[in-house]
mmCIF file of all heavy atoms in Angstrom:
data_model
loop_
_atom_site.group_PDB
_atom_site.id
_atom_site.type_symbol
_atom_site.label_atom_id
_atom_site.label_comp_id
_atom_site.label_asym_id
_atom_site.label_seq_id
_atom_site.Cartn_x
_atom_site.Cartn_y
_atom_site.Cartn_z
ATOM 1 N N MET I 1 39.693 -17.907 41.238
ATOM 2 C CA MET I 1 39.416 -16.629 41.974
ATOM 3 C C MET I 1 38.300 -16.792 42.960
ATOM 4 O O MET I 1 38.306 -16.236 44.056
ATOM 5 C CB MET I 1 39.110 -15.525 40.956
ATOM 6 C CG MET I 1 38.917 -14.169 41.624
ATOM 7 S SD MET I 1 38.964 -12.812 40.410
ATOM 8 C CE MET I 1 37.527 -13.212 39.497
ATOM 9 N N ILE I 2 37.229 -17.562 42.563
ATOM 10 C CA ILE I 2 36.119 -17.757 43.456
ATOM 11 C C ILE I 2 36.036 -19.239 43.899
ATOM 12 O O ILE I 2 36.031 -20.113 43.025
ATOM 13 C CB ILE I 2 34.755 -17.353 42.790
ATOM 14 C CG1 ILE I 2 34.766 -15.845 42.356
ATOM 15 C CG2 ILE I 2 33.602 -17.720 43.738
ATOM 16 C CD1 ILE I 2 34.553 -14.890 43.522
ATOM 17 N N ASP I 3 35.996 -19.492 45.120
ATOM 18 C CA ASP I 3 35.670 -20.823 45.671
ATOM 19 C C ASP I 3 34.188 -20.845 45.888
ATOM 20 O O ASP I 3 33.672 -20.025 46.675
ATOM 21 C CB ASP I 3 36.415 -21.140 46.941
ATOM 22 C CG ASP I 3 37.928 -21.376 46.740
ATOM 23 O OD1 ASP I 3 38.267 -21.703 45.571
ATOM 24 O OD2 ASP I 3 38.673 -21.237 47.729
ATOM 25 N N LEU I 4 33.481 -21.804 45.263
ATOM 26 C CA LEU I 4 31.960 -21.881 45.464
ATOM 27 C C LEU I 4 31.702 -23.151 46.222
ATOM 28 O O LEU I 4 31.911 -24.304 45.717
ATOM 29 C CB LEU I 4 31.305 -21.909 44.083
ATOM 30 C CG LEU I 4 29.793 -22.199 44.094
ATOM 31 C CD1 LEU I 4 29.036 -21.219 44.952
ATOM 32 C CD2 LEU I 4 29.295 -22.290 42.709
ATOM 33 N N TYR I 5 31.161 -23.046 47.411
ATOM 34 C CA TYR I 5 30.751 -24.132 48.208
ATOM 35 C C TYR I 5 29.307 -24.425 47.862
ATOM 36 O O TYR I 5 28.405 -23.556 48.080
ATOM 37 C CB TYR I 5 30.894 -23.797 49.718
ATOM 38 C CG TYR I 5 32.314 -23.578 50.134
ATOM 39 C CD1 TYR I 5 33.007 -22.421 49.836
ATOM 40 C CD2 TYR I 5 33.088 -24.686 50.642
ATOM 41 C CE1 TYR I 5 34.357 -22.250 50.171
ATOM 42 C CE2 TYR I 5 34.431 -24.543 50.925
ATOM 43 C CZ TYR I 5 35.059 -23.312 50.671
ATOM 44 O OH TYR I 5 36.385 -23.156 50.964
ATOM 45 N N TYR I 6 29.047 -25.622 47.238
ATOM 46 C CA TYR I 6 27.857 -25.790 46.438
ATOM 47 C C TYR I 6 27.336 -27.207 46.543
ATOM 48 O O TYR I 6 28.137 -28.213 46.673
ATOM 49 C CB TYR I 6 28.304 -25.521 45.006
ATOM 50 C CG TYR I 6 27.443 -25.955 43.883
ATOM 51 C CD1 TYR I 6 26.432 -25.139 43.300
ATOM 52 C CD2 TYR I 6 27.633 -27.214 43.318
ATOM 53 C CE1 TYR I 6 25.642 -25.598 42.241
ATOM 54 C CE2 TYR I 6 26.857 -27.662 42.258
ATOM 55 C CZ TYR I 6 25.833 -26.843 41.704
ATOM 56 O OH TYR I 6 25.086 -27.272 40.674
ATOM 57 N N TRP I 7 26.049 -27.352 46.374
ATOM 58 C CA TRP I 7 25.367 -28.608 46.084
ATOM 59 C C TRP I 7 24.251 -28.279 45.078
ATOM 60 O O TRP I 7 23.734 -27.148 45.151
ATOM 61 C CB TRP I 7 24.850 -29.244 47.368
ATOM 62 C CG TRP I 7 24.536 -30.720 47.278
ATOM 63 C CD1 TRP I 7 23.325 -31.350 47.368
ATOM 64 C CD2 TRP I 7 25.534 -31.738 46.981
ATOM 65 N NE1 TRP I 7 23.475 -32.669 47.252
ATOM 66 C CE2 TRP I 7 24.792 -32.998 47.006
ATOM 67 C CE3 TRP I 7 26.854 -31.816 46.733
ATOM 68 C CZ2 TRP I 7 25.385 -34.191 46.724
ATOM 69 C CZ3 TRP I 7 27.488 -33.015 46.463
ATOM 70 C CH2 TRP I 7 26.735 -34.211 46.474
ATOM 71 N N PRO I 8 23.922 -29.211 44.157
ATOM 72 C CA PRO I 8 23.001 -28.883 43.123
ATOM 73 C C PRO I 8 21.508 -28.815 43.585
ATOM 74 O O PRO I 8 20.709 -29.671 43.301
ATOM 75 C CB PRO I 8 23.201 -29.933 41.988
ATOM 76 C CG PRO I 8 23.768 -31.043 42.777
ATOM 77 C CD PRO I 8 24.623 -30.490 43.879
ATOM 78 N N THR I 9 21.235 -27.732 44.319
ATOM 79 C CA THR I 9 19.841 -27.455 44.725
ATOM 80 C C THR I 9 19.468 -26.151 44.068
ATOM 81 O O THR I 9 20.295 -25.449 43.469
ATOM 82 C CB THR I 9 19.772 -27.262 46.232
ATOM 83 O OG1 THR I 9 20.494 -26.025 46.561
ATOM 84 C CG2 THR I 9 20.371 -28.415 46.996
ATOM 85 N N PRO I 10 18.181 -25.705 44.155
ATOM 86 C CA PRO I 10 17.821 -24.413 43.556
ATOM 87 C C PRO I 10 18.715 -23.261 44.004
ATOM 88 O O PRO I 10 19.146 -22.454 43.254
ATOM 89 C CB PRO I 10 16.340 -24.244 43.999
ATOM 90 C CG PRO I 10 15.846 -25.614 44.080
ATOM 91 C CD PRO I 10 16.970 -26.462 44.634
ATOM 92 N N ASN I 11 19.064 -23.223 45.308
ATOM 93 C CA ASN I 11 19.891 -22.109 45.745
ATOM 94 C C ASN I 11 21.322 -22.258 45.264
ATOM 95 O O ASN I 11 21.948 -21.232 45.003
ATOM 96 C CB ASN I 11 19.904 -22.091 47.327
ATOM 97 C CG ASN I 11 18.600 -21.527 47.854
ATOM 98 O OD1 ASN I 11 17.873 -20.795 47.214
ATOM 99 N ND2 ASN I 11 18.288 -21.885 49.086
ATOM 100 N N GLY I 12 21.802 -23.462 45.115
ATOM 101 C CA GLY I 12 23.149 -23.618 44.503
ATOM 102 C C GLY I 12 23.150 -23.234 43.034
ATOM 103 O O GLY I 12 24.123 -22.585 42.594
ATOM 104 N N HIS I 13 22.116 -23.617 42.312
ATOM 105 C CA HIS I 13 22.066 -23.255 40.873
ATOM 106 C C HIS I 13 22.117 -21.755 40.637
ATOM 107 O O HIS I 13 22.605 -21.306 39.607
ATOM 108 C CB HIS I 13 20.813 -23.874 40.253
ATOM 109 C CG HIS I 13 20.840 -25.352 40.145
ATOM 110 N ND1 HIS I 13 21.844 -26.090 39.643
ATOM 111 C CD2 HIS I 13 19.859 -26.273 40.504
ATOM 112 C CE1 HIS I 13 21.573 -27.353 39.636
ATOM 113 N NE2 HIS I 13 20.377 -27.503 40.212
ATOM 114 N N LYS I 14 21.516 -20.993 41.491
ATOM 115 C CA LYS I 14 21.507 -19.516 41.320
ATOM 116 C C LYS I 14 22.945 -19.056 41.092
ATOM 117 O O LYS I 14 23.170 -18.149 40.235
ATOM 118 C CB LYS I 14 21.018 -18.829 42.557
ATOM 119 C CG LYS I 14 19.567 -19.081 42.971
ATOM 120 C CD LYS I 14 19.309 -18.348 44.266
ATOM 121 C CE LYS I 14 17.978 -18.709 44.888
ATOM 122 N NZ LYS I 14 17.769 -18.066 46.188
ATOM 123 N N ILE I 15 23.887 -19.514 41.838
ATOM 124 C CA ILE I 15 25.231 -18.950 41.807
ATOM 125 C C ILE I 15 26.000 -19.467 40.622
ATOM 126 O O ILE I 15 26.752 -18.657 39.929
ATOM 127 C CB ILE I 15 26.023 -19.342 43.105
ATOM 128 C CG1 ILE I 15 25.142 -18.991 44.373
ATOM 129 C CG2 ILE I 15 27.307 -18.475 43.145
ATOM 130 C CD1 ILE I 15 24.598 -17.588 44.400
ATOM 131 N N THR I 16 25.873 -20.719 40.236
ATOM 132 C CA THR I 16 26.534 -21.206 39.043
ATOM 133 C C THR I 16 25.967 -20.537 37.794
ATOM 134 O O THR I 16 26.652 -20.269 36.869
ATOM 135 C CB THR I 16 26.459 -22.738 38.879
ATOM 136 O OG1 THR I 16 25.117 -23.145 39.076
ATOM 137 C CG2 THR I 16 27.276 -23.410 39.923
ATOM 138 N N MET I 17 24.674 -20.241 37.816
ATOM 139 C CA MET I 17 24.096 -19.506 36.673
ATOM 140 C C MET I 17 24.738 -18.197 36.499
ATOM 141 O O MET I 17 25.078 -17.701 35.345
ATOM 142 C CB MET I 17 22.552 -19.347 36.887
ATOM 143 C CG MET I 17 21.793 -20.640 36.636
ATOM 144 S SD MET I 17 20.013 -20.475 37.116
ATOM 145 C CE MET I 17 19.446 -19.240 35.946
ATOM 146 N N PHE I 18 24.952 -17.403 37.630
ATOM 147 C CA PHE I 18 25.565 -16.090 37.522
ATOM 148 C C PHE I 18 27.039 -16.240 37.035
ATOM 149 O O PHE I 18 27.484 -15.565 36.149
ATOM 150 C CB PHE I 18 25.539 -15.380 38.851
ATOM 151 C CG PHE I 18 26.163 -14.055 38.831
ATOM 152 C CD1 PHE I 18 25.348 -12.905 38.640
ATOM 153 C CD2 PHE I 18 27.506 -13.852 38.932
ATOM 154 C CE1 PHE I 18 25.943 -11.676 38.561
ATOM 155 C CE2 PHE I 18 28.105 -12.595 38.817
ATOM 156 C CZ PHE I 18 27.272 -11.509 38.652
ATOM 157 N N LEU I 19 27.764 -17.116 37.642
ATOM 158 C CA LEU I 19 29.169 -17.230 37.360
ATOM 159 C C LEU I 19 29.392 -17.665 35.912
ATOM 160 O O LEU I 19 30.359 -17.239 35.272
ATOM 161 C CB LEU I 19 29.850 -18.173 38.329
ATOM 162 C CG LEU I 19 29.955 -17.691 39.787
ATOM 163 C CD1 LEU I 19 30.387 -18.843 40.694
ATOM 164 C CD2 LEU I 19 30.887 -16.492 39.859
ATOM 165 N N GLU I 20 28.527 -18.532 35.408
ATOM 166 C CA GLU I 20 28.644 -18.899 33.999
ATOM 167 C C GLU I 20 28.268 -17.766 33.098
ATOM 168 O O GLU I 20 28.869 -17.655 31.993
ATOM 169 C CB GLU I 20 27.781 -20.152 33.696
ATOM 170 C CG GLU I 20 28.233 -21.411 34.376
ATOM 171 C CD GLU I 20 29.594 -21.882 33.865
ATOM 172 O OE1 GLU I 20 29.920 -21.628 32.661
ATOM 173 O OE2 GLU I 20 30.353 -22.487 34.658
ATOM 174 N N GLU I 21 27.316 -16.921 33.441
ATOM 175 C CA GLU I 21 27.000 -15.737 32.618
ATOM 176 C C GLU I 21 28.187 -14.804 32.489
ATOM 177 O O GLU I 21 28.441 -14.299 31.381
ATOM 178 C CB GLU I 21 25.804 -14.996 33.219
ATOM 179 C CG GLU I 21 24.459 -15.734 33.109
ATOM 180 C CD GLU I 21 23.832 -15.582 31.713
ATOM 181 O OE1 GLU I 21 24.391 -14.821 30.854
ATOM 182 O OE2 GLU I 21 22.799 -16.267 31.490
ATOM 183 N N VAL I 22 28.872 -14.553 33.571
ATOM 184 C CA VAL I 22 29.918 -13.570 33.521
ATOM 185 C C VAL I 22 31.338 -14.101 33.154
ATOM 186 O O VAL I 22 32.267 -13.401 32.850
ATOM 187 C CB VAL I 22 30.009 -12.770 34.873
ATOM 188 C CG1 VAL I 22 28.781 -12.080 35.136
ATOM 189 C CG2 VAL I 22 30.450 -13.681 36.012
ATOM 190 N N GLY I 23 31.462 -15.454 33.264
ATOM 191 C CA GLY I 23 32.729 -16.041 32.863
ATOM 192 C C GLY I 23 33.804 -15.950 33.962
ATOM 193 O O GLY I 23 35.017 -16.115 33.631
ATOM 194 N N THR I 24 33.386 -15.683 35.158
ATOM 195 C CA THR I 24 34.402 -15.552 36.281
ATOM 196 C C THR I 24 34.952 -16.938 36.550
ATOM 197 O O THR I 24 34.216 -17.887 36.748
ATOM 198 C CB THR I 24 33.725 -14.991 37.532
ATOM 199 O OG1 THR I 24 33.290 -13.650 37.245
ATOM 200 C CG2 THR I 24 34.688 -14.933 38.715
ATOM 201 N N PRO I 25 36.302 -17.104 36.705
ATOM 202 C CA PRO I 25 36.864 -18.332 37.075
ATOM 203 C C PRO I 25 36.430 -18.744 38.475
ATOM 204 O O PRO I 25 36.412 -17.938 39.439
ATOM 205 C CB PRO I 25 38.359 -18.114 37.128
ATOM 206 C CG PRO I 25 38.559 -16.935 36.172
ATOM 207 C CD PRO I 25 37.319 -16.059 36.413
ATOM 208 N N TYR I 26 35.951 -20.015 38.640
ATOM 209 C CA TYR I 26 35.528 -20.467 39.950
ATOM 210 C C TYR I 26 35.779 -21.962 40.072
ATOM 211 O O TYR I 26 35.860 -22.687 39.047
ATOM 212 C CB TYR I 26 34.082 -20.152 40.233
ATOM 213 C CG TYR I 26 33.059 -20.914 39.406
ATOM 214 C CD1 TYR I 26 32.367 -21.980 39.959
ATOM 215 C CD2 TYR I 26 32.789 -20.508 38.113
ATOM 216 C CE1 TYR I 26 31.475 -22.670 39.175
ATOM 217 C CE2 TYR I 26 31.787 -21.158 37.328
ATOM 218 C CZ TYR I 26 31.122 -22.265 37.879
ATOM 219 O OH TYR I 26 30.177 -22.896 37.160
ATOM 220 N N GLU I 27 35.914 -22.361 41.286
ATOM 221 C CA GLU I 27 36.087 -23.795 41.579
ATOM 222 C C GLU I 27 35.001 -24.258 42.534
ATOM 223 O O GLU I 27 34.819 -23.682 43.609
ATOM 224 C CB GLU I 27 37.505 -24.046 42.244
ATOM 225 C CG GLU I 27 37.720 -25.521 42.498
ATOM 226 C CD GLU I 27 39.096 -25.785 43.177
ATOM 227 O OE1 GLU I 27 39.907 -24.824 43.293
ATOM 228 O OE2 GLU I 27 39.381 -26.928 43.491
ATOM 229 N N ILE I 28 34.317 -25.275 42.150
ATOM 230 C CA ILE I 28 33.237 -25.843 43.002
ATOM 231 C C ILE I 28 33.828 -26.711 44.053
ATOM 232 O O ILE I 28 34.636 -27.563 43.833
ATOM 233 C CB ILE I 28 32.282 -26.644 42.184
ATOM 234 C CG1 ILE I 28 31.381 -25.761 41.219
ATOM 235 C CG2 ILE I 28 31.346 -27.520 43.050
ATOM 236 C CD1 ILE I 28 30.465 -26.476 40.298
ATOM 237 N N LYS I 29 33.418 -26.367 45.342
ATOM 238 C CA LYS I 29 33.790 -27.247 46.433
ATOM 239 C C LYS I 29 32.504 -27.907 46.918
ATOM 240 O O LYS I 29 31.625 -27.311 47.575
ATOM 241 C CB LYS I 29 34.304 -26.366 47.582
ATOM 242 C CG LYS I 29 35.446 -25.401 47.203
ATOM 243 C CD LYS I 29 36.732 -26.087 47.129
ATOM 244 C CE LYS I 29 37.909 -25.097 46.953
ATOM 245 N NZ LYS I 29 39.224 -25.732 46.839
ATOM 246 N N PRO I 30 32.281 -29.181 46.537
ATOM 247 C CA PRO I 30 30.996 -29.797 46.835
ATOM 248 C C PRO I 30 30.747 -29.930 48.341
ATOM 249 O O PRO I 30 31.624 -30.334 49.115
ATOM 250 C CB PRO I 30 31.142 -31.221 46.204
ATOM 251 C CG PRO I 30 32.191 -31.036 45.186
ATOM 252 C CD PRO I 30 33.113 -30.017 45.754
ATOM 253 N N ILE I 31 29.534 -29.557 48.712
ATOM 254 C CA ILE I 31 29.087 -29.654 50.097
ATOM 255 C C ILE I 31 27.864 -30.613 50.054
ATOM 256 O O ILE I 31 26.725 -30.192 49.793
ATOM 257 C CB ILE I 31 28.624 -28.324 50.672
ATOM 258 C CG1 ILE I 31 29.821 -27.332 50.721
ATOM 259 C CG2 ILE I 31 28.057 -28.494 52.097
ATOM 260 C CD1 ILE I 31 30.916 -27.758 51.653
ATOM 261 N N ASP I 32 28.134 -31.890 50.298
ATOM 262 C CA ASP I 32 27.030 -32.924 50.273
ATOM 263 C C ASP I 32 26.162 -32.776 51.518
ATOM 264 O O ASP I 32 26.495 -33.199 52.651
ATOM 265 C CB ASP I 32 27.650 -34.312 50.201
ATOM 266 C CG ASP I 32 26.626 -35.378 49.912
ATOM 267 O OD1 ASP I 32 25.449 -35.104 50.278
ATOM 268 O OD2 ASP I 32 26.959 -36.427 49.464
ATOM 269 N N ILE I 33 25.073 -32.042 51.294
ATOM 270 C CA ILE I 33 24.177 -31.746 52.483
ATOM 271 C C ILE I 33 23.538 -32.982 53.036
ATOM 272 O O ILE I 33 23.077 -32.952 54.184
ATOM 273 C CB ILE I 33 23.135 -30.722 52.034
ATOM 274 C CG1 ILE I 33 22.309 -31.170 50.849
ATOM 275 C CG2 ILE I 33 23.814 -29.368 51.751
ATOM 276 C CD1 ILE I 33 21.194 -30.185 50.467
ATOM 277 N N GLY I 34 23.418 -34.090 52.291
ATOM 278 C CA GLY I 34 22.865 -35.314 52.840
ATOM 279 C C GLY I 34 23.815 -36.033 53.688
ATOM 280 O O GLY I 34 23.391 -36.832 54.537
ATOM 281 N N LYS I 35 25.089 -35.719 53.547
ATOM 282 C CA LYS I 35 26.158 -36.340 54.367
ATOM 283 C C LYS I 35 26.644 -35.527 55.525
ATOM 284 O O LYS I 35 27.513 -35.836 56.260
ATOM 285 C CB LYS I 35 27.333 -36.715 53.523
ATOM 286 C CG LYS I 35 26.996 -37.599 52.259
ATOM 287 C CD LYS I 35 26.314 -38.904 52.590
ATOM 288 C CE LYS I 35 26.001 -39.700 51.427
ATOM 289 N NZ LYS I 35 25.069 -40.832 51.669
ATOM 290 N N GLY I 36 26.014 -34.327 55.613
ATOM 291 C CA GLY I 36 26.361 -33.432 56.737
ATOM 292 C C GLY I 36 27.609 -32.593 56.621
ATOM 293 O O GLY I 36 28.139 -32.061 57.558
ATOM 294 N N HIS I 37 28.086 -32.451 55.344
ATOM 295 C CA HIS I 37 29.293 -31.593 55.135
ATOM 296 C C HIS I 37 29.136 -30.178 55.583
ATOM 297 O O HIS I 37 30.064 -29.499 55.904
ATOM 298 C CB HIS I 37 29.674 -31.629 53.629
ATOM 299 C CG HIS I 37 30.114 -32.969 53.143
ATOM 300 N ND1 HIS I 37 30.472 -33.207 51.833
ATOM 301 C CD2 HIS I 37 30.278 -34.144 53.803
ATOM 302 C CE1 HIS I 37 30.817 -34.472 51.684
ATOM 303 N NE2 HIS I 37 30.717 -35.072 52.910
ATOM 304 N N GLN I 38 27.857 -29.750 55.692
ATOM 305 C CA GLN I 38 27.550 -28.364 56.034
ATOM 306 C C GLN I 38 27.841 -28.084 57.469
ATOM 307 O O GLN I 38 27.800 -26.897 57.905
ATOM 308 C CB GLN I 38 26.107 -27.942 55.645
ATOM 309 C CG GLN I 38 25.020 -28.712 56.454
ATOM 310 C CD GLN I 38 24.565 -29.998 55.803
ATOM 311 O OE1 GLN I 38 25.402 -30.711 55.179
ATOM 312 N NE2 GLN I 38 23.349 -30.350 55.886
ATOM 313 N N PHE I 39 28.126 -29.085 58.243
ATOM 314 C CA PHE I 39 28.396 -28.905 59.680
ATOM 315 C C PHE I 39 29.904 -28.954 60.034
ATOM 316 O O PHE I 39 30.286 -28.830 61.165
ATOM 317 C CB PHE I 39 27.663 -29.989 60.540
ATOM 318 C CG PHE I 39 26.177 -29.954 60.361
ATOM 319 C CD1 PHE I 39 25.500 -30.984 59.719
ATOM 320 C CD2 PHE I 39 25.458 -28.840 60.868
ATOM 321 C CE1 PHE I 39 24.168 -30.897 59.509
ATOM 322 C CE2 PHE I 39 24.035 -28.835 60.718
ATOM 323 C CZ PHE I 39 23.430 -29.833 60.023
ATOM 324 N N ALA I 40 30.690 -29.133 58.939
ATOM 325 C CA ALA I 40 32.126 -29.236 59.188
ATOM 326 C C ALA I 40 32.643 -27.830 59.732
ATOM 327 O O ALA I 40 32.216 -26.796 59.267
ATOM 328 C CB ALA I 40 32.858 -29.500 57.861
ATOM 329 N N PRO I 41 33.505 -27.854 60.724
ATOM 330 C CA PRO I 41 33.989 -26.595 61.325
ATOM 331 C C PRO I 41 34.549 -25.572 60.346
ATOM 332 O O PRO I 41 34.266 -24.394 60.484
ATOM 333 C CB PRO I 41 35.038 -27.059 62.324
ATOM 334 C CG PRO I 41 34.631 -28.502 62.666
ATOM 335 C CD PRO I 41 34.052 -29.056 61.427
ATOM 336 N N ASP I 42 35.294 -26.082 59.365
ATOM 337 C CA ASP I 42 35.878 -25.101 58.389
ATOM 338 C C ASP I 42 34.784 -24.422 57.496
ATOM 339 O O ASP I 42 34.913 -23.249 57.166
ATOM 340 C CB ASP I 42 36.885 -25.845 57.505
ATOM 341 C CG ASP I 42 38.156 -26.158 58.239
ATOM 342 O OD1 ASP I 42 38.423 -25.569 59.246
ATOM 343 O OD2 ASP I 42 39.003 -26.993 57.668
ATOM 344 N N PHE I 43 33.739 -25.157 57.248
ATOM 345 C CA PHE I 43 32.677 -24.622 56.500
ATOM 346 C C PHE I 43 31.821 -23.631 57.315
ATOM 347 O O PHE I 43 31.475 -22.582 56.824
ATOM 348 C CB PHE I 43 31.748 -25.709 55.938
ATOM 349 C CG PHE I 43 30.572 -25.113 55.104
ATOM 350 C CD1 PHE I 43 30.837 -24.505 53.844
ATOM 351 C CD2 PHE I 43 29.246 -25.254 55.544
ATOM 352 C CE1 PHE I 43 29.764 -23.989 53.150
ATOM 353 C CE2 PHE I 43 28.227 -24.750 54.794
ATOM 354 C CZ PHE I 43 28.459 -24.078 53.587
ATOM 355 N N LEU I 44 31.698 -23.939 58.574
ATOM 356 C CA LEU I 44 30.895 -23.017 59.472
ATOM 357 C C LEU I 44 31.604 -21.667 59.655
ATOM 358 O O LEU I 44 30.965 -20.693 59.915
ATOM 359 C CB LEU I 44 30.663 -23.643 60.820
ATOM 360 C CG LEU I 44 29.644 -24.813 60.793
ATOM 361 C CD1 LEU I 44 29.588 -25.478 62.191
ATOM 362 C CD2 LEU I 44 28.254 -24.308 60.429
ATOM 363 N N LYS I 45 32.923 -21.633 59.440
ATOM 364 C CA LYS I 45 33.591 -20.364 59.504
ATOM 365 C C LYS I 45 33.271 -19.466 58.352
ATOM 366 O O LYS I 45 33.302 -18.249 58.463
ATOM 367 C CB LYS I 45 35.145 -20.608 59.481
ATOM 368 C CG LYS I 45 35.673 -21.306 60.706
ATOM 369 C CD LYS I 45 37.152 -21.640 60.572
ATOM 370 C CE LYS I 45 37.691 -22.412 61.738
ATOM 371 N NZ LYS I 45 39.117 -22.747 61.574
ATOM 372 N N ILE I 46 32.816 -20.100 57.192
ATOM 373 C CA ILE I 46 32.424 -19.330 56.058
ATOM 374 C C ILE I 46 30.909 -19.122 56.035
ATOM 375 O O ILE I 46 30.463 -18.058 55.703
ATOM 376 C CB ILE I 46 32.768 -20.110 54.776
ATOM 377 C CG1 ILE I 46 34.290 -20.311 54.719
ATOM 378 C CG2 ILE I 46 32.268 -19.420 53.547
ATOM 379 C CD1 ILE I 46 34.760 -21.349 53.735
#
């Protein structure tokens, strides 16, 4: 139900903490910020 674009940083952990608390189904889409995935055109749309 939820696609989570995520990397394990403090800001990323905030969201997994919430989703694990409520049990909402989610799928992690890793965004390797050291490799520049955050500049991909499809990600920038989001």
Side-chain angles (χ1 to χ4, degrees):
M1 185 166 65
I2 300 286
D3 289 339
L4 170 59
Y5 294 82
Y6 163 93
W7 199 242
T9 70
N11 287 335
H13 290 310
K14 296 175 188 178
I15 312 307
T16 51
M17 286 172 65
F18 181 96
L19 291 169
E20 290 298 328
E21 287 283 352
V22 300
T24 297
Y26 69 100
E27 181 179 357
I28 290 177
K29 308 282 189 180
I31 298 294
D32 189 336
I33 57 178
K35 305 304 180 191
H37 294 177
Q38 65 271 36
F39 300 111
D42 286 346
F43 180 67
L44 288 174
K45 293 175 183 176
I46 299 166

